[in-house]
């Protein structure tokens, strides 16, 4: 009877697996939609129009994070009952701070943004306000155990988002009309989220209010510095290049949304799981190491696929329109092997906001320093190399500080041997694959390479994705 009970327990749905499934799915579909839009707009729009189109999204991403100043991060790493209590108690101070921050940000955006008309700038101000509010509401929904509901909402939003882009692209293209339609769609999404009843947490955890405010400030500053570091190469060049040249640089340095998605989901999962039990070092270490192993089994194969089949990918995706972007692309993808963990999760849960902020400062200052040094030597290739070098050093710093917070050795948080074996194995596999397929036609070569990549990911990460299959409804042993 005892062994039967153990067997049955193995087939019970895993709460953490289901959370991961819904979180990942809820962000995977919008990421795929963005990638499809990226390809289609690259093909059809002129360099000038496409450069202006991507400039808008660059500004919007930066402004959203600044005016949202740490709210989503504090939601995921804090007990909601205390957060709501603190917000009610300090509502006047918080409102004044966010109102002034938004006004200043919008003023700077309106005065200094490039490639955008004044009327579109005004529309974008309203758009970013709605987008930021919707993002915060979605974070609250997820925190209140609404991962599945968030997935459903984001799925339908992504479908209409894609549909509207396709309609504008294939009728009379207007960037103003495009943003106006997305604004209306975002308002509907926000209303739907607000209509969902909230599930309150059963317990309240008390914090020192002054320390909590300081932690919030650190998280906000880190988010702002993080988004600036992410876009700093493009932000730097948008003022130096024409819209057409910026389009070529952007397509070379564009990071496929899947990788940012993996880090985002990993961060939400890690902060949620770690904050549930901050006193179990072994449990935290295991969760952290599992994330390294899990994400590396996905990211490493994808990196080598992009590296060995880059020319074929550009020919197929852009129909030879953006071959000039290839040298930029080759350098930019070397940041991808770093996307195998969320390096600030442990520090976030242990309220080490000062360390997170220091790491963000290190990242952006090193990126600027490397740009100043490398741009005269390498041109735009030096600009894209700078964030790769800076992010590498920042990641090492965060792992070191995370180990200090847990009072363990740094090497205990990195499955170094496992990662090195995977790296060499995947490199060999994809090198041999590229040799075997080199004489095949483009479509067959890419199709076979993509299928092999998919198989390698499934085999390499089966240990980690198998619990997700067991947790799906209707699964039978």
């Amino acid at each position: 009877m005892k062994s039967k009970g153990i067997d049955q327990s193995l087939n019970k749905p895993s709460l953490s697996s289901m959370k991961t499934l819904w979180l990942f799915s809820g962000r995977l579909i919008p990421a795929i939609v963005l990638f499809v839009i990226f390809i289609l707009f690259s093909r059809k729009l002129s360099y000038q129009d496409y450069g202006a189109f991507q400039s808008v999204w660059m500004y919007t991403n930066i402004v959203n994070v600044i005016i949202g100043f740490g709210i989503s991060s504090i939601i995921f790493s804090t007990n909601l009952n205390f957060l709501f209590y603190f917000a009610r108690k300090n509502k006047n101070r918080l409102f004044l701070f966010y109102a002034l921050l938004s006004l200043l940000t919008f003023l700077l955006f309106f005065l200094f943004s490039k490639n955008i008309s004044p009327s579109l700038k005004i529309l974008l101000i309203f758009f970013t306000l709605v987008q930021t509010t919707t993002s915060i509401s979605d974070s609250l929904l997820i925190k209140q155990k609404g991962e599945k509901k968030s997935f459903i909402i984001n799925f339908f939003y992504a479908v209409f988002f894609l549909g509207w882009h396709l309609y504008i692209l294939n009728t009379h293209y207007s960037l103003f009309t495009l943003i106006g339609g997305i604004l209306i769609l975002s308002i509907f999404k926000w209303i739907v989220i607000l209509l969902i009843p909230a599930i309150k947490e059963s317990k309240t955890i008390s914090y020192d209010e002054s320390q909590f405010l300081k932690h919030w400030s650190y998280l906000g500053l880190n988010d702002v510095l993080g988004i600036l570091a992410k876009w700093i190469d493009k932000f730097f060049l948008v003022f130096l290049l024409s819209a057409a040249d910026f389009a070529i640089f952007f397509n070379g340095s564009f990071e496929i949304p899947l990788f940012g998605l993996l880090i985002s989901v990993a961060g939400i999962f890690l902060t949620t799981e770690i904050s549930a039990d901050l006193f179990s070092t072994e449990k935290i270490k295991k969760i952290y190491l599992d994330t390294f192993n899990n994400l590396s089994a996905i990211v490493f194969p994808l990196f080598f696929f992009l590296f060995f089949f880059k020319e074929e990918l550009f020919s197929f995706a852009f129909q030879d329109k953006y071959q000039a972007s290839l040298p930029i692309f080759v350098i930019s993808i070397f940041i991808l092997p770093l996307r195998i963990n969320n390096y600030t999760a442990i520090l976030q849960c242990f309220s080490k906001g000062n360390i997170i902020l220091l790491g963000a400062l290190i990242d952006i200052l090193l990126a600027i320093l490397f740009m100043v040094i490398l741009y005269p030597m390498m041109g735009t290739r030096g600009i894209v190399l700078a964030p790769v070098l800076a992010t590498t050093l920042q990641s090492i710093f965060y792992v070191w500080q995370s180990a200090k917070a847990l009072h363990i050795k740094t090497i205990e948080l990195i499955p170094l041997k496992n990662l090195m074996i995977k790296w060499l194995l995947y490199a060999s596999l994809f090198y041999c694959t590229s040799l075997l397929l080199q004489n095949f036609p483009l479509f067959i070569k890419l199709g076979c390479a993509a299928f092999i990549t998919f198989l390698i990911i499934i085999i390499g990460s089966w240990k980690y994705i198998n619990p997700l299959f067991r947790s799906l409804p209707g699964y039978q042993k």
Side-chain angles (χ1 to χ4, degrees), residues 19 22-23 141-142 145-152:
K19 284 182 179 179
W22 290 122
L23 287 173
L141 178 62
I142 293 171
K145 307 184 187 303
E147 295 89 356
K148 183 177 179 180
K149 295 172 184 175
S150 175
F151 162 75
I152 294 171

Side-chain angles (χ1 to χ4, degrees), residues 307-376:
F307 182 79
F308 285 108
F309 296 94
K310 52 187 176 294
E311 293 180 5
E312 293 82 359
L313 279 168
F314 266 66
S315 295
F316 175 74
F318 304 119
Q319 300 176 332
D320 296 320
K321 185 177 179 181
Y322 280 91
Q323 294 301 108
S325 302
L326 262 175
I328 300 297
F329 179 76
V330 172
I331 297 172
S332 69
I333 61 173
F334 274 90
I335 203 170
L336 300 183
L338 299 174
R339 307 298 196 201
I340 53 176
N341 215 329
N342 186 293
Y343 300 104
T344 64
I346 293 175
L347 297 170
Q348 215 174 70
C349 294
F350 279 85
S351 298
K352 299 290 184 179
N354 56 330
I355 301 299
I356 297 173
L357 177 60
L358 179 59
L361 282 170
I362 289 172
D363 185 30
I364 196 165
L365 290 176
L366 284 176
I368 293 171
L369 176 63
F370 288 139
M371 283 182 188
V372 171
I373 295 172
L374 296 174
Y375 183 61

Side-chain angles (χ1 to χ4, degrees), residues 270-325:
L270 282 170
T271 53
T272 302
E273 294 298 310
I274 293 172
S275 61
D277 187 1
L278 296 176
F279 301 102
S280 177
T281 300
E282 286 303 314
K283 179 183 175 183
I284 293 171
K285 188 168 74 171
K286 183 180 183 306
I287 293 171
Y288 202 69
L289 290 172
D290 281 347
T291 305
F292 265 119
N293 290 322
N294 193 359
L295 294 190
S296 63
I298 300 172
V299 174
F300 285 0
L302 288 172
F303 165 77
F304 286 114
F305 170 70
L306 294 173
F307 182 79
F308 285 108
F309 296 94
K310 52 187 176 294
E311 293 180 5
E312 293 82 359
L313 279 168
F314 266 66
S315 295
F316 175 74
F318 304 119
Q319 300 176 332
D320 296 320
K321 185 177 179 181
Y322 280 91
Q323 294 301 108
S325 302

